[in-house]
Amino acid sequence: QVQLVESGGGLVQAGGSLRLSCAASGRTFSSYAMGWFRQAPGKEREFVAAIRWSGGNTYYADSVKGRFTISRDNAKNTVYLQMSSLKPEDTAVYYCAANPLHYSGSYYYTSQYVYWGQGTQVTVSS
């Protein structure tokens, strides 16, 4: 069992930066791939970024590539999403999630994640 709690969301102007954190409970955190997803009002939840259990490989949606960076610290049971050059279209509720699979093709799909946090709101003003 893994419990996830996101933090770090808020209101920021376009071009600004935020760092989201996701703290996990449970001794098996390091065995899960971790992902960030987001959901804007009236839209489906979409993939943002993912990182392997080891932290050695990362994956990004095209819309955030070059602006966002995912990382993890297994000693602290925490995964991060550093967001830079934020745009109004990045406004959404951001969720972290845990994926038990080691197949990178699974990282892009919400159905492959078994644990989810409650989400943190990110609002980017123009």
Side-chain angles (χ1 to χ4, degrees):
Q1 185 83 8
V2 176
Q3 293 184 323
L4 304 172
V5 179
E6 301 97 335
S7 62
L11 174 64
V12 63
Q13 288 189 332
S17 299
L18 279 176
R19 188 175 82 156
L20 305 183
S21 299
C22 174
S25 64
R27 292 177 293 177
T28 59
F29 170 77
S30 61
S31 66
Y32 290 85
M34 296 298 296
W36 285 96
F37 289 76
R38 67 186 181 187
Q39 188 167 19
K43 295 188 177 182
E44 292 188 354
R45 194 169 298 189
E46 65 175 4
F47 170 79
V48 175
I51 187 166
R52 283 192 180 274
W53 66 273
S54 64
N57 295 87
T58 56
Y59 309 84
Y60 296 95
D62 288 342
S63 59
V64 307
K65 203 170 291 183
R67 300 189 298 123
F68 291 11
T69 302
I70 187 171
S71 61
R72 67 189 295 165
D73 185 337
N74 287 340
K76 295 183 178 179
N77 279 11
T78 303
V79 62
Y80 305 98
L81 186 67
Q82 178 68 48
M83 306 185 294
S84 303
S85 302
L86 283 161
K87 305 175 182 180
E89 51 264 44
D90 294 318
T91 295
V93 177
Y94 283 70
Y95 299 89
C96 70
N99 182 334
L101 302 176
H102 295 283
Y103 167 53
S104 62
S106 72
Y107 297 165
Y108 302 90
Y109 304 101
T110 58
S111 61
Q112 302 302 307
Y113 289 77
V114 295
Y115 300 110
W116 291 84
Q118 83 290 348
T120 186
Q121 177 71 46
V122 172
T123 303
V124 184
S125 63
S126 58

